[in-house]
């Protein structure tokens, strides 16, 4: 997830913020996708005279959508010295993944291609891979390992929770901000944005 703010009056943006790994070649797209959120947050921080790192770190919130992407990176990497039991495992995973998303349609494919992970699309893709290519599941789990799968499950459950919380905040959140001061409104808006971007609601 994004790197927390470590200094007063300093906020990282783009690749330096950890919003997207530079190795995935998605840094520029991520910067553009988060541009409105970042500029609005900085503007509100200046208006409310918020400069302490403890408050500014809310501009770099935990995002389950980003954390769940980590397992995909894990499945497509090889540690130095690791025994590779199937030299085609990465190609097989990629092929199965994109074939499944193609069958599920553009509603699943397009967000993924733009590095936006949504709970419904992610669940449909994993379930689809299990149905369309069940023989790939055991070697894939063996390749990734149990601990990363457990960690990923935690982030996926948070992805679902963030999606629900964002929908709830979208319905009645505006009424809550009426009596808030500048600092409270800043922190609330950042939390809602975390739910939104953390569940792929920005697509």
């Amino acid at each position: 997830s994004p790197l927390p703010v470590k200094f007063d009056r300093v906020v990282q943006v783009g690749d330096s913020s950890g919003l997207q790994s530079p190795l995935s070649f998605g840094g520029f797209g991520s910067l553009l996708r988060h541009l409105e959120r970042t500029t609005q947050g900085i503007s509100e921080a200046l208006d409310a005279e918020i400069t302490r790192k403890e408050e500014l770190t809310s501009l770099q919130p935990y995002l389950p959508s980003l954390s769940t992407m980590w397992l995909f990176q894990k499945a497509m990497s090889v540690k130095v010295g690791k025994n590779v039991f199937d030299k085609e495992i990465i190609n097989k995973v990629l092929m199965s993944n994109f074939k499944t998303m193609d069958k599920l349609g553009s509603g699943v494919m397009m967000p993924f291609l733009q590095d936006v992970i949504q709970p419904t699309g992610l669940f449909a893709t994993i379930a689809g891979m299990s149905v369309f290519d069940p023989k790939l599941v055991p070697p894939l789990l063996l390749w990734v390992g149990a601990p990363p799968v457990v960690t990923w499950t935690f982030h996926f459950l948070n992805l679902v929770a963030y999606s629900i919380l964002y929908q709830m905040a979208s319905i009645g959140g505006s009424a809550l901000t009426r009596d808030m001061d500048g600092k409270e409104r800043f922190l609330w808006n950042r939390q809602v944005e975390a739910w939104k971007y953390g569940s792929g609601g920005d697509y």
Side-chain angles (χ1 to χ4, degrees):
S1 281
L3 300 174
V5 174
K6 294 292 186 179
F7 306 98
D8 294 345
R9 300 178 181 272
V10 177
V11 177
Q12 311 98 295
V13 296
D15 283 351
S16 65
S17 66
L19 283 173
Q20 190 76 30
S21 169
L23 299 178
S24 70
F25 304 102
F28 184 70
S30 175
L31 171 64
L32 294 179
R33 195 167 67 251
H34 289 268
L35 188 60
E36 181 180 2
R37 179 185 71 83
T38 303
T39 54
Q40 180 65 28
I42 292 175
S43 177
E44 289 184 24
L46 292 173
D47 290 341
E49 298 184 350
I50 294 173
T51 59
R52 297 175 64 246
K53 62 183 180 181
E54 288 78 10
E55 285 85 31
L56 290 177
T57 200
S58 62
L59 288 166
Q60 301 289 89
Y62 160 68
L63 302 175
S65 57
L66 181 60
S67 296
T68 53
M69 281 290 290
W70 173 74
L71 188 67
F72 291 101
Q73 306 249 352
K74 179 78 173 177
M76 293 185 289
S77 62
V78 182
K79 288 184 178 180
V80 176
K82 182 177 181 179
N83 181 35
V84 181
F85 61 87
D86 183 354
K87 295 182 179 180
E88 296 296 322
I89 184 66
I90 295 176
N91 290 334
K92 289 178 181 178
V93 171
L94 285 172
M95 185 178 299
S96 177
N97 183 53
F98 281 101
K99 278 186 176 180
T100 300
M101 288 191 294
D102 184 54
K103 292 179 180 179
L104 293 172
S106 60
V108 173
M109 177 75 83
M110 295 309 295
F112 182 83
L113 292 178
Q114 298 178 47
D115 291 326
V116 178
I117 303 300
Q118 299 172 321
T120 52
L122 182 57
F123 179 79
T125 300
I126 293 175
M129 289 176 66
S130 301
V131 173
F132 301 137
D133 199 357
K135 293 182 180 180
L136 180 62
V137 176
L140 175 59
L141 293 177
L142 179 63
W143 173 256
V144 175
V149 172
V150 172
T151 301
W152 179 88
T153 302
F154 167 77
H155 294 306
F156 177 74
L157 292 175
N158 283 339
L159 182 71
V160 175
Y162 270 45
S163 179
I164 295 172
L165 289 169
Y166 173 60
Q167 293 177 34
M168 293 173 62
S170 298
I171 296 174
S174 59
L176 297 175
T177 62
R178 293 173 184 169
D179 299 323
M180 293 182 179
D181 59 28
K183 180 179 178 180
E184 291 173 334
R185 187 177 297 107
F186 168 83
L187 293 174
W188 169 254
N189 288 340
R190 303 296 76 75
Q191 181 60 72
V192 173
E193 288 174 351
W195 293 334
K196 176 181 179 180
Y197 285 80
S199 63
D202 55 302
Y203 179 76

